[in-house]
Amino acid sequence: MHHLRTTFVRFWPLTAAQTVRSQSQHRPLAVGRDLRTFRPMRHLSTPVAAEPFLNGTSLNYVEEMYYGWLENPKSVHKSWDIFFRNANAGAPPGAAYQSPPPISGTGERLAQVQALLGASPNMEKLVEDHLAVHSLIRQYQLAYCQHIGVEFMFINDIEQCQWIRQKFETPGIMQFTAEEKRILLARMVQSTRFEEFLQRKWSSEKRFGLEGCESLIPALKTIIDTSSQSGVESVIMGMPHRGRLNVLANVIRKELEQIFCQFDSKLEAADEGSGDVKYHLGMHHRRVNRVSDKYITLSLVANPSHLEAVDPVVQGKTKAEQFYCGDTEGKKVMSILLHGDAAFAGQGIVYETFHLSDLPSYTTHGTIHVVVNNQIGFTTDPRMARSSPYPTDVARVVNAPIFHVNADDPEAVMYVCKVAAEWRNTFHKDVVIDLVCYRRNGHNEMDEPMFTQPLMYKRIKKQKNVLQKFAEKLTADGVVTSQEYEEEVARYDRICEEAYARSKDEKILHIKHWLDSPWPGFFTMEGQPRSMNCPSTGISEEDLNHIGHIAASVPEESFTIHGGLSRILKGRANMVSQRVCDWALGEYMAFGSLLKEGIHVRLSGQDVERGTFSHRHHVLHDQNVDKKTCIPMNFISPDQAPYTVCNSSLSEYGVLGFELGFAMASPSALVLWEAQFGDFHNTAQCIIDQFISSGQAKWVRQNGIVLLLPHGMEGMGPEHSSARPERFLQMCNDDPDVFPAMSADFAVHQLYDCNWIVVNCSTPANYFHVLRRQILMPFRKPLIVFTPKSLLRHPEAKSSFDDMLQGTHFKRLITDDATAANPQKVKRVIFCTGKIYYELIRERMNRGMDDTAAVIRIEQLSPFPFDLIKTEGDRYLNADLVWCQEEHKNQGYYDYVKPRICTTINNTRPLWYAGREPAAAPATGNKHAHLMELQRLLDTAFNLEAFSEKL
């Protein structure tokens, strides 16, 4: 079994008699050679003037010399021998120390030294101190050298350290009543027999069982019981696959027949998506806690096989539930995260999540982390899996106490979990429980562990399971009889058998029964949208003016802003008076109008308060008063919803996962995450691929999160140019080779059927509409927005209020009004998206081709506007068709739009390409090369003979 490292509290043996004299009198210990030699003897000889007496760096040094002196007084310098003798005679430390005289001193002085050295030690005092020291040692051994090890001395808070010491050092504190032991035994029976039942019924199925750490179930139930007694009403949990079915059955209380029917390969899947394997699914359940007799809601968040990826998602969902119920201290809603030892040490997302734990806009006021420490990662030994002594060492960075406990001692596990829950309730800080256990099978039930850990698994095969050992202990102690134990086992076996029989009645597999985040009242009882209509996303002129004036003002009095910001606000006021808005003001209009309608808006990401490109300025800073800020968006209306805008830590994976979790909690909030630059999203690719793109298909879980990804070839090099739109478009689930059936509500049905929405808006008005549409739609879909950079201040990238008034909508495609009146004159139709449009119309004007070349913008790339593309294709029947993009040919949108446009026009005409050539990097790092490439693609786009040789 793993040797637990223990952290001893430093104490002073010299003064121990004064602090524990009464205790040592009641518990006398025999003095023997074996007790005296507590530490190896060291012969120390060093000058005492090397450093000040008894300062902080010499405490251990002095203590070691004292132990050496106890063994042999001659092993230390004479001055220390005198000091130790005087101290044992009762002298205080200041008086006990006497500097030795120089050798050349007078005869009188030498006589004094000889008298001192000849003094006999106070043996009675020496024995008393020695007994007291060993009494303390015995207490600390009982507290820290049994089945519990505690790491906490790194915590820089005396109150917290003393609290932990009291919980573990108080003699006899870890006592349980007979009833508590019987409850613990019943929970161990449930945990163990559940796994054994699955093994009997489905011996060849993967289930990632809990064998070897069965005490996890009573551990979690103890945490929940204690937290419920403290007032917690909701617990959100995240965990890997190992033990998940057991947790669903015995902690969340998922119906057993629903779990068992997942093993039936003959069950038909309901038409609700592609689904997921049983050990990835989540659950949401509200029930009465039997210990506290209070209602508690338990949620286990669905997750992929990517270990630890669910951690920030759980934290975000927890934060959202705390926000919506006004729980500002985390007293009603809490999170529990389960980890494996290898993943906890190896996955960087663990570190990112820990560093969100105490940030004002991300804290969940304490998470209880439970590490199922199998002492192996798949087939990898710990010595190969981490450089730190323990898998839990990452938690030390946030001063989280770490409780190591032998998982084969259920009582110790139960006590540690109780203390952890009390710690979280008292200090609202993270805490880690390290369940030191083993994995009885291989990585899964079909895996052979003897290939790689033969000796370890020979030992494991000889190991009694923890239930058997615990039952024997309680029987020997007279807590339960053998008959009572057998009856408890038979009772739970009967429950499983009855549920198994009921599972045979299930004919269809419903994924919606495993939903982890239901939205009561948003859908119908069958889980369908209440309508398939999307109302106008425009707002009144009055609201536009009111929100515009707020955006151009400083609502707080005696608030001094930066001179440059004064010019920006004045520019906004001028735009409002002219009834136009730029990109930043269009966003302000969208956010402000939703807030006025009672919709919470949360914008998160790196530098979002000001905006990476200094365009947003949603948080104003007083230039004379430190930390004094003003958020004008919260001054729109007295009864508005709150606006949260928060700069995040320098993390993408963790923060995007957090915001995804926040958006899971409620459909009535607009939650946005903005990347500092669009390509930075690739460090959060796991969240995008495993949760956002496919989450609804796997887990029937809708989510309306918005990703704002700055994108555009601006000559700034390969790293800050492309948001990689090709990756998002590749994951879109529409069929490029099938022209869909048209209907009156085709656009809304397209949105409902897609897995996410991808847009590249070219006008502030369209950006305004697509943000509002996220909330006004009768369902929720993730929205990917490729936002501009240079367009933020482009003089032509402005929209009139007329495009934002009531009755207006988001435009999936923007036609070319200049050529629409005389389409027969048009010889070339150029389809494009985003910023390149402004380059194209400038080039067209310079070439005088306003009548012969039409430039059409596809604003919504997915779901693809088949109907509108067909209309444009039919309008310009005599023109050739070109797709123009500023990205390289193997990147951007070309591979996505080409087959869809060709399907729309029934392959009657080719779609030519005008853009950069294929390349490995997203953009050149040379400004001159960038401009040359841009001019070349513009020449190709407007050269009517460019493709004649290819016909």
Side-chain angles (χ1 to χ4, degrees):
M1 187 56 67
H2 185 64
H3 293 290
L4 299 179
R5 179 178 63 179
T6 58
T7 301
F8 286 94
V9 181
R10 294 193 179 111
F11 53 87
W12 271 103
L14 292 178
T15 58
Q18 300 171 8
T19 57
V20 296
R21 181 177 292 123
S22 61
Q23 194 169 25
S24 64
Q25 290 171 353
H26 294 295
R27 299 178 61 186
L29 296 176
V31 179
R33 185 67 179 173
D34 57 330
L35 291 180
R36 290 196 62 177
T37 56
F38 180 71
R39 294 195 178 186
M41 182 173 64
R42 296 182 60 184
H43 296 275
L44 304 172
S45 181
T46 183
V48 296
E51 56 184 3
F53 180 64
L54 292 185
N55 71 7
T57 61
S58 61
L59 297 182
N60 292 335
Y61 172 69
V62 174
E63 186 178 349
E64 288 181 0
M65 282 201 297
Y66 175 70
Y67 282 115
W69 178 79
L70 287 176
E71 296 290 337
N72 181 7
K74 295 181 179 180
S75 66
V76 300
H77 192 272
K78 291 181 180 179
S79 60
W80 282 111
D81 181 33
I82 296 170
F83 172 77
F84 291 141
R85 291 174 188 271
N86 290 342
N88 274 293
Y97 173 67
Q98 296 183 23
S99 299
I103 298 300
S104 58
T106 63
E108 180 183 355
R109 186 62 176 164
L110 288 172
Q112 293 176 358
V113 172
Q114 291 173 354
L116 281 172
L117 293 177
S120 60
N122 185 336
M123 293 306 297
E124 181 181 350
K125 177 69 175 174
L126 181 64
V127 170
E128 184 180 2
D129 277 355
H130 195 63
L131 290 174
V133 168
H134 281 282
S135 175
L136 275 179
I137 291 172
R138 179 60 179 159
Q139 290 181 53
Y140 287 126
Q141 287 175 331
L142 290 174
Y144 298 114
C145 297
Q146 303 299 309
H147 290 164
I148 298 173
V150 186
E151 290 186 80
F152 69 98
M153 292 300 288
F154 53 83
I155 298 176
N156 54 7
D157 186 294
I158 295 177
E159 179 190 359
Q160 294 173 12
C161 289
Q162 291 298 99
W163 187 92
I164 293 173
R165 291 184 62 182
Q166 187 272 328
K167 291 294 182 182
F168 290 98
E169 295 177 15
T170 303
I173 195 170
M174 199 176 77
Q175 300 293 332
F176 300 98
T177 65
E179 180 60 25
E180 288 174 328
K181 292 180 180 179
R182 283 191 288 269
I183 291 174
L184 180 54
L185 178 64
R187 290 173 172 178
M188 288 300 304
V189 167
Q190 295 168 10
S191 176
T192 305
R193 299 300 290 181
F194 177 82
E195 298 294 351
E196 293 178 357
F197 182 84
L198 295 184
Q199 182 62 26
R200 288 198 307 272
K201 296 295 184 182
W202 299 281
S203 59
S204 61
E205 282 275 347
K206 290 181 182 180
R207 55 184 169 82
F208 295 94
L210 198 54
E211 291 95 335
C213 192
E214 292 90 346
S215 56
L216 173 67
I217 299 304
L220 294 176
K221 293 172 81 73
T222 299
I223 292 171
I224 293 169
D225 292 344
T226 307
S227 300
S228 179
Q229 289 174 313
S230 300
V232 171
E233 300 172 359
S234 179
V235 178
I236 296 98
M237 299 171 59
M239 69 176 297
H241 40 279
R242 184 162 314 285
R244 191 180 192 90
L245 297 181
N246 208 323
V247 170
L248 284 165
N250 293 313
V251 178
I252 309 294
R253 302 275 181 84
K254 177 72 175 174
E255 298 92 336
L256 291 178
E257 55 266 33
Q258 289 291 327
I259 295 176
F260 295 158
C261 75
Q262 288 280 331
F263 288 90
D264 189 347
S265 59
K266 298 178 182 178
L267 278 186
E268 297 179 10
D271 187 20
E272 297 170 336
S274 57
D276 202 349
V277 291
K278 49 190 167 290
Y279 39 81
H280 286 172
L281 300 177
M283 177 61 186
H284 177 276
H285 185 51
R286 180 173 169 81
R287 62 174 174 82
V288 175
N289 180 272
R290 294 175 183 173
V291 174
S292 66
D293 200 30
K294 299 176 183 178
Y295 273 100
I296 190 164
T297 300
L298 302 176
S299 297
L300 179 61
V301 176
N303 63 269
S305 285
H306 296 63
L307 297 174
E308 308 295 342
V310 78
D311 295 358
V313 180
V314 168
Q315 300 298 68
K317 179 174 165 59
T318 303
K319 182 67 174 180
E321 292 199 11
Q322 291 174 347
F323 174 82
Y324 293 127
C325 71
D327 183 15
T328 58
E329 297 180 358
K331 294 182 177 180
K332 297 180 180 179
V333 184
M334 66 172 287
S335 58
I336 301 175
L337 287 176
L338 281 71
H339 315 267
D341 54 317
F344 199 62
Q347 290 293 324
I349 187 59
V350 174
Y351 186 86
E352 290 188 37
T353 305
F354 265 118
H355 271 279
L356 297 176
S357 63
D358 204 30
L359 303 182
S361 296
Y362 301 89
T363 180
T364 56
H365 307 286
T367 297
I368 298 178
H369 300 265
V370 181
V371 178
V372 177
N373 188 350
N374 297 316
Q375 306 177 71
I376 188 173
F378 204 150
T379 66
T380 305
D381 292 324
R383 67 180 183 274
M384 303 296 182
R386 63 175 185 265
S387 298
S388 59
Y390 298 97
T392 53
D393 286 341
V394 64
R396 296 166 67 100
V397 302
V398 292
N399 277 342
I402 302 166
F403 304 145
H404 305 274
V405 60
N406 187 330
D408 267 8
D409 184 348
E411 292 182 10
V413 170
M414 183 177 176
Y415 181 74
V416 159
C417 291
K418 183 174 181 291
V419 172
E422 291 173 349
W423 164 275
R424 194 264 171 196
N425 181 62
T426 303
F427 298 106
H428 298 285
K429 290 169 60 72
D430 284 28
V431 58
V432 176
I433 301 168
D434 180 21
L435 289 178
V436 183
C437 58
Y438 57 92
R439 189 187 67 195
R440 187 167 289 276
N441 301 310
H443 179 64
N444 59 64
E445 288 68 26
M446 301 295 99
D447 191 47
E448 176 52 76
M450 293 286 285
F451 287 145
T452 51
Q453 280 79 27
L455 299 182
M456 180 181 189
Y457 273 86
K458 285 178 183 177
R459 295 284 299 273
I460 287 174
K461 285 180 179 179
K462 297 177 183 178
Q463 184 89 350
K464 283 185 181 180
N465 72 43
V466 62
L467 173 61
Q468 184 180 352
K469 291 193 288 187
F470 188 54
E472 290 173 356
K473 177 180 182 297
L474 294 191
T475 302
D477 293 343
V479 178
V480 296
T481 64
S482 297
Q483 181 180 353
E484 289 173 333
Y485 165 64
E486 292 169 0
E487 288 175 353
E488 183 65 31
V489 171
R491 185 186 70 84
Y492 189 75
D493 286 351
R494 187 168 56 254
I495 291 173
C496 291
E497 289 290 352
E498 292 171 355
Y500 176 70
R502 290 193 300 272
S503 72
K504 297 295 185 181
D505 298 331
E506 296 288 338
K507 304 299 180 186
I508 299 178
L509 195 61
H510 290 282
I511 308 172
K512 64 184 179 183
H513 292 164
W514 300 75
L515 188 61
D516 57 17
S517 301
W519 293 337
F522 186 71
F523 297 111
T524 64
M525 293 296 292
E526 293 75 28
Q528 299 300 313
R530 295 188 174 276
S531 72
M532 287 300 288
N533 297 315
C534 185
S536 167
T537 48
I539 60 177
S540 68
E541 179 103 20
E542 180 183 359
D543 284 344
L544 288 170
N545 279 300
H546 174 66
I547 297 169
H549 285 121
I550 293 292
S553 66
V554 182
E556 290 190 9
E557 296 181 359
S558 303
F559 195 97
T560 306
I561 62 174
H562 191 274
L565 186 55
S566 298
R567 291 190 294 272
I568 292 173
L569 298 187
K570 185 178 180 180
R572 288 179 181 175
N574 290 336
M575 283 190 286
V576 172
S577 65
Q578 297 169 16
R579 299 184 67 253
V580 297
C581 65
D582 61 5
W583 206 269
L585 191 54
E587 181 182 77
Y588 219 105
M589 298 295 189
F591 289 179
S593 58
L594 290 173
L595 293 168
K596 190 172 183 292
E597 295 164 13
I599 301 300
H600 172 56
V601 178
R602 176 183 170 92
L603 174 62
S604 167
Q606 295 158 20
D607 311 297
V608 296
E609 296 179 2
R610 190 202 73 171
T612 300
F613 310 103
S614 194
H615 68 288
R616 183 173 286 127
H617 297 287
H618 283 189
V619 178
L620 311 181
H621 293 260
D622 193 296
Q623 299 296 296
N624 299 322
V625 182
D626 187 33
K627 299 179 183 178
K628 183 180 180 182
T629 60
C630 172
I631 304 177
M633 197 84 76
N634 281 323
F635 290 82
I636 290 174
S637 173
D639 55 351
Q640 70 170 80
Y643 175 52
T644 302
V645 55
C646 45
N647 290 340
S648 74
S649 64
L650 202 65
S651 156
E652 291 83 27
Y653 190 172
V655 174
L656 179 56
F658 188 97
E659 301 308 329
L660 176 76
F662 200 102
M664 280 171 52
S666 172
S668 301
L670 182 67
V671 181
L672 310 95
W673 175 77
E674 182 175 67
Q676 190 179 71
F677 288 91
D679 53 338
F680 288 174
H681 76 77
N682 56 17
T683 61
Q685 200 68 45
C686 179
I687 297 295
I688 294 168
D689 291 356
Q690 311 308 132
F691 289 89
I692 301 177
S693 169
S694 56
Q696 182 178 352
K698 293 191 292 188
W699 308 314
V700 200
R701 183 174 74 193
Q702 294 192 14
N703 195 297
I705 190 169
V706 180
L707 273 63
L708 304 179
L709 307 176
H711 170 81
M713 307 293 132
E714 314 280 3
M716 302 304 294
E719 262 61 68
H720 293 330
S721 297
S722 178
R724 295 292 189 174
E726 65 277 3
R727 295 182 180 172
F728 293 93
L729 295 173
Q730 183 189 37
M731 289 186 280
C732 295
N733 65 350
D734 58 337
D735 192 334
D737 302 321
V738 176
F739 187 82
M742 294 294 113
S743 62
D745 53 1
F746 170 73
V748 177
H749 276 282
Q750 261 200 320
L751 294 173
Y752 182 71
D753 292 336
C754 73
N755 62 318
W756 58 14
I757 304 165
V758 181
V759 301
N760 189 359
C761 300
S762 61
T763 70
N766 236 15
Y767 179 51
F768 161 85
H769 284 296
V770 79
L771 292 177
R772 286 184 50 80
R773 189 181 70 174
Q774 273 298 96
I775 293 298
L776 296 180
M777 287 192 305
F779 44 83
R780 293 291 174 263
K781 298 285 178 175
L783 173 63
I784 314 300
V785 185
F786 301 117
T787 57
K789 293 176 285 185
S790 61
L791 293 193
L792 297 174
R793 294 174 177 82
H794 198 291
E796 296 179 32
K798 293 183 179 178
S799 296
S800 169
F801 280 11
D802 293 335
D803 296 328
M804 304 162 72
L805 293 175
Q806 292 167 330
T808 56
H809 294 79
F810 172 74
K811 296 178 180 179
R812 294 178 292 146
L813 180 147
I814 300 179
T815 62
D816 191 338
D817 294 334
T819 60
N822 296 298
Q824 64 278 4
K825 293 184 178 181
V826 174
K827 296 180 180 180
R828 174 160 294 176
V829 175
I830 302 173
F831 291 103
C832 68
T833 186
K835 176 184 76 75
I836 192 65
Y837 166 77
Y838 294 94
E839 309 281 0
L840 288 169
I841 59 171
R842 183 188 63 187
E843 185 70 15
R844 182 178 67 174
M845 182 182 67
N846 292 340
R847 291 173 181 258
M849 298 178 65
D850 291 346
D851 295 332
T852 56
V855 182
I856 298 170
R857 288 167 275 177
I858 301 178
E859 301 280 291
Q860 178 177 292
L861 294 148
S862 181
F864 194 70
F866 287 97
D867 53 335
L868 302 181
I869 292 290
K870 179 173 172 50
T871 300
E872 296 303 309
D874 292 344
R875 175 182 288 134
Y876 302 104
L877 290 173
N878 300 322
D880 56 6
L881 306 180
V882 173
W883 173 260
C884 182
Q885 65 178 36
E886 58 181 350
E887 297 82 4
H888 292 280
K889 190 175 184 179
N890 60 325
Q891 301 166 26
Y893 323 91
Y894 179 61
D895 287 337
Y896 176 83
V897 301
K898 181 181 179 179
R900 288 164 176 80
I901 292 178
C902 291
T903 296
T904 303
I905 61 175
N906 202 22
N907 292 297
T908 56
R909 284 176 282 178
L911 178 70
W912 304 111
Y913 171 77
R916 288 178 166 89
E917 294 299 314
T924 177
N926 183 278
K927 185 73 171 180
H928 177 72
H930 164 76
L931 296 175
M932 291 281 289
E933 291 171 351
L934 176 61
Q935 189 58 50
R936 192 180 301 122
L937 73 87
L938 293 175
D939 290 342
T940 303
F942 288 102
N943 181 2
L944 300 181
E945 304 298 325
F947 308 107
S948 58
E949 296 180 359
K950 298 181 181 181
L951 290 174

